[in-house]
Amino acid sequence: MASEKREAPRRPAIKVDGMAEAANGTSTGPVRVDSWIWSVRLTKTRSQAGTACRAGHVQVNGERVKAAHQVKVGDEVRLRMDGRERIVKVVTLLRKRVGAPVAVEAYIDKSPPPPARTDALAAGVRDRGLGRPTKRDRREMERLRGLSESRRSAG
């Protein structure tokens, strides 16, 4: 019997930090919220995800959370970034960053549609070389942007 070699049992998952993880990056245990936000491509970098958590722009189930908060399947994650709020429901836990087609399957997007681009931005653009705007020009630009009433009441 000593000469018999035993085969090691096949393991479909790899142990990472004591949690089972499949080869495609999905995890069976809880995952940090900053890591998950980055993995599903809601932020471009992991540090952006951590910064958003520290700034209070990330909520899980309605509560502001720190970057180390563990997300579970079924949690609702809200992320405020670039003037837009993303609301997603966790379907799959991902620990590693994956391709965009796989990442989209990891959550259900409940976000409101992005705001329509308005022509208000173009109204404030002046031709190059005209110099500093006059008081009349400035008031006209503020009127086009909708700032005139708020300025008058503040000052």
Side-chain angles (χ1 to χ4, degrees):
M1 292 222 159
S3 63
E4 280 185 35
K5 280 190 172 181
R6 284 197 232 168
E7 279 189 42
R10 291 187 177 241
R11 295 183 186 157
I14 304 165
K15 288 282 188 175
V16 176
D17 297 331
M19 300 292 181
E21 183 174 327
N24 63 356
T26 60
S27 178
T28 57
V31 178
R32 289 173 55 114
V33 69
D34 63 337
S35 177
W36 187 82
I37 289 171
W38 168 74
S39 298
V40 297
R41 298 175 172 263
L42 293 178
T43 60
K44 289 185 179 182
T45 64
R46 172 101 182 254
S47 73
Q48 267 186 344
T51 303
C53 291
R54 281 191 300 278
H57 299 302
V58 177
Q59 294 180 357
V60 175
N61 298 326
E63 294 182 19
R64 287 186 178 176
V65 295
K66 294 183 178 182
H69 183 82
Q70 305 288 316
V71 288
K72 302 176 288 296
V73 173
D75 284 350
E76 181 183 82
V77 178
R78 291 175 174 255
L79 170 68
R80 241 184 18 245
M81 185 169 245
D82 299 330
R84 181 174 178 214
E85 185 172 28
R86 299 289 306 267
I87 305 167
V88 295
K89 183 177 179 184
V90 179
V91 175
T92 306
L93 296 177
L94 298 174
R95 190 178 299 273
K96 295 181 181 177
R97 193 163 172 97
V98 293
V102 178
V104 171
E105 296 173 1
Y107 61 88
I108 298 171
D109 196 355
K110 298 178 177 181
S111 305
R117 291 187 159 195
T118 61
D119 294 336
L121 296 176
V125 176
R126 290 175 46 88
D127 291 332
R128 189 175 175 94
L130 285 180
R132 186 174 174 183
T134 63
K135 191 171 192 177
R136 183 178 182 182
D137 291 340
R138 180 182 55 79
R139 285 184 174 160
E140 186 177 321
M141 285 188 291
E142 285 179 354
R143 185 181 52 80
L144 289 172
R145 290 183 186 152
L147 300 176
S148 60
E149 292 301 319
S150 63
R151 287 257 176 133
R152 285 186 193 149
S153 63

